[in-house]
Amino acid sequence: MGLLAHKGAMVPVAAAARLTLARSASAAAAASSSSSAVPPGAAPPSSGAGSTTAATTGGQKQSSATPPPPPPPPPHLTAAGFASQPAMKTAAATQHQVTVSAAQDLSSSEYQNVDGLRYDDGRYATFVESIRDTIVPPERIITDAVRTYAYGTDASFYRLVPKIVVKVHNEDEVSQILVQANKHQTPVTFRAAGTSLSGQAVTDSVLMKLSHTGDHFRNYTIHGNGEQITVEPGLIGGEINRLLAAHRRTCGHEQQYKIGPDPSSIDSCMIGGIIANNSSGMCCGVSQNTYHTLKDMRIVLLDGAVLDTADEASRASFMKSHAHLVSGVVDLATRIQADEELAALIRRKYSIKCTTGYSLNALVDFPPSDPIEIIKRLMIGSEGTLGFISQATINTVPEYDNKASAFVVFPTVKDGAGAASVLRKTTMVDAVELFDTASLRECEGNARMRELVPSIVGCDEGTTALLIECRGKDKAALDKRIAEVVRAIKEADHINVTGNDVEAYPFSEDKDVFNVYWDVRKGLIPIVGAARETGTSMLIEDVACDVDKLGDMMEDLIEMFKRHKYHDASCFGHALEGNLHLVFSQGFRNDEEIERYSQMMQELCEIVADKYGGSLKAEHSTGRNVAPFVEMEWGSKAYNLMWELKRLFDPNGILNPGVILNEDEDVHKKALKASPPADAIVDRCIECGFCESNCPSRDLSLTPRQRITVYREMSRLRAMDASELTVEDAQRLREFETNWTYNGEQTCAADGMCQEKCPVKINTGELIKSIRSRNLAEGHATELRAADFAARNWGTLDRLVPTGLGIATAAASVLGDGVLTSVSKALNNVSGGWVPVWNNYMPTGAKSAHFEVATNASSPAPAAAELPPVEAIYLMACPARTMGPARGDEGAGGRSVPQVLRSLADKADVDLKLMPNATSLCCGLAFSSRGLQAAAESKGDEMVDALVKATDNGRIPVVCDTSPCMAHIQMSAMAKSPSMQFLEPVEFTQRILAPRLDFSNPRNEPVAIHVPCSSKKLGKEAAFGDLVSKCCNGTAPVSSGIPCCGMAGDRGLRYPQLTASSLQHLKLPDNIKDGYSTSRTCEISLSNHSGKHFRSVLYLVDEVTTPKKSSSASA
């Protein structure tokens, strides 16, 4: 670290002392600015999207001097509900602080604004008291050990546990909280999705969490044809693109638009983080990143003031109220633009991807006479260290429908990187992604990749590939670009292609083909990380250089990894921009491993910054990870200007201190996240957070990532020897275990939708079900006996359910739904969540339907019209045969699902025979979801054996009316009879019924649909939409937009808060009369929370179809 100017900053104490001295020069002026931030008569800031206000401040005015911290309260639970921690550093406080400086070894009660030294001297309890009730309710101020640990987790390899997590709902709350944080000197860090990779979203102070707070921070306004969109920070990037796509469909616009940044985490990361990190991605390059596509924003500053850059009154007011800040920005811009050498450096640095340090290009791209524009751009990539972005208006970019991709393999790194350089210089190619040998070997694990690009199988060391994408406004433009790319590679000197023919790697316009390439690329970071040794962490470095130097730099980095014995390291990334992601596993279990990492990191920075003049952080932002190396990359002059900038906006170091700029040279190797083994089901988890947006409990309790990280910590504590376990450790473990029961276990739907978003296909639901099973095996004999009894007497119980529902429905009709709801709630509380809670859309008892029972000698039915005969076995699922439509559901006509299926089979002349002993059979899902594995396996095996016989060992297809039940039994059945054919309702309709029916009475208005989790996992989402569109005269259905409703069998009835949390996002248009699905239990919750009856899609098909006329009849 000899290149760093602040050589004395070897310990956090020294850093904090110098930082305090440096602040003193500007503190008085800044405080004066803060105190005059509110113009007389200014209105409070608004939280609504699209609103405009002048620059205002929330809360009370600031005094001209920072108040001293309040005296510490007694060491017991304070009135604020926050336990004041002892001053002495404890084992729990240091367990994740792997490396500790000499200063940190001192047992000191003095608070210092440095990671690991923010001891609670009473200020945190006082801070909580100042915001509790007056700004946010107590339930949104979180201090318990489990949730602070869980919510403090992000995708980086750093672990800091916040003392307080505040769930914020709007701009006004943020404004007022910042005033109190500044007053009490309690640093804050803003958290969106937590997919950041560089340690910028973790803190051991106050975490302000805006994700997973329901509909808050999720407002948006689409302007015009979609050329602009105004958003709040809680919207996911991919979600914004889907909103823009829906806007085009609804309004009939010719051109599709999308946001410019397209990070691989776009379906998980939120726009607030995209802006705060200046994210880019695979296709956007530099020109379409956030910096270059942002139009306006609303900014909340440390003093609570709100600047709306789109509002002239707000701009004018801010220029007066924050004259000191504005003057400082103008001065910085003037000095930098007068310094030709520094201005040239900044322009060169931002000609490639660069997110190291602050966005100094804002100070050269705009004249000093326009300070608001400069401030707006400075906020981009500032990682929450200058202020909070509460709203942004973005200029979108065209999304062309005509696109094609090719996956081209090269024998060496120089060939692949050289080809990328040629393409950048001589073509209009849209995207070029580079894969090194190690990442190609990971691609080998994908069967479709092996099929599409066989030359990657067993490839030699040094083999490199380019994923190339071309786009065009129309087919002719696309073809022209493809020809241009192929010609450029063919004609390039000294560029060799594996197989010597670039045309052996054709461009494909087929989505089913090119999505394979891009899906592999998008998941490459987590996939590579998941292959690591258990107990190690995945590290990601993100560097860039001029594309002409990419091959040389890549070879140097590969050689560096070999020298430091990182044998699993991979290099891949955005070749067109000279941007590489370096992914490798690293243990932090002892001093030797940490020292190896330190030496490698030092050499990496020297290679990238010194030798190649590149960016140490191209697009993942600085965070803590390269904060000690910012000066190495930028030089002392630019580095010192960044410190000036930070002190202008945040003189007291309240906003995410230690991120981007940090005087501790060793901060990048402190607070390193351990990855202890916990369970083979989840040990591969890298805590990327991709899963969270699919989780129904994300707004209620914990997400899959959070469940895993909490379970890992419990496992670590449980594995400690009694001699190692301190009193505090034991107390902490007890608190974790107590809190885990509800947050981790009871409110997990265990539906596996997290697996759909997980790039390494971890199903956290399987972990939870295994935990439930183990817990039941330990002292829950009564439940196990009850499950065994139910399994053995399923037929009897099955027949009782319709009668019971009939009685309950009659009671509700007489007494009212409210009475039944109140009584069932009370029983639910007393029983610990075992008794379901009644709601207005509970089913009536199902009416039976007559089907001939299948035998091994079943014969095909007569041909329907001129089509061949069809026979099928009907697997009547428990929910369908026991639960009828809800009371008042006129669209169902009082019929049960089996009755509707009987009607359809008759119309189509399909020989549909019932499973023998149908009412005694169960797939086992009802038991499995509760962790009752023995009963689940018993019923499942019984069902499979019956299916094998009834289907003539798989010859006859099986039709099931309920998607979750079919998906569950299919997994077991295929192991015994791989040839067995299963058809869920949509597939059965499309393959068997539709050719034998006329859709002669289609609806002329749209309906809503909800595709159950199981159908999504089976890939039936598009087919579901197509079928319903056919039933509605070509009108596309309105999707629920809900990944999982949280019903999970009857769990949503026993824990109704789970479905309430998930379905708060269900927003159906007023013109939608009803909805359709293929899971009776899901339909209950969807109806209850939408106020519209949901029923099986089979009802809709039956409503709009008639028997097909023969060709002779029609003639």
Side-chain angles (χ1 to χ4, degrees), residues 563-581:
R563 202 164 45 251
H564 289 282
K565 296 182 172 55
Y566 287 93
H567 301 301
D568 64 346
S570 292
C571 302
F572 53 87
H574 318 311
L576 207 60
E577 309 299 330
N579 178 196
L580 289 177
H581 297 312

Side-chain angles (χ1 to χ4, degrees), residues 783-798:
E783 287 91 335
L784 295 175
R785 284 195 296 270
D788 180 65
F789 175 84
R792 287 186 289 104
N793 297 276
W794 193 254
T796 301
L797 297 174
D798 187 273

Side-chain angles (χ1 to χ4, degrees), residues 210-221:
L210 58 97
S211 58
H212 309 147
T213 56
D215 286 333
H216 304 285
F217 282 119
R218 290 176 50 80
N219 291 314
Y220 67 91
T221 302

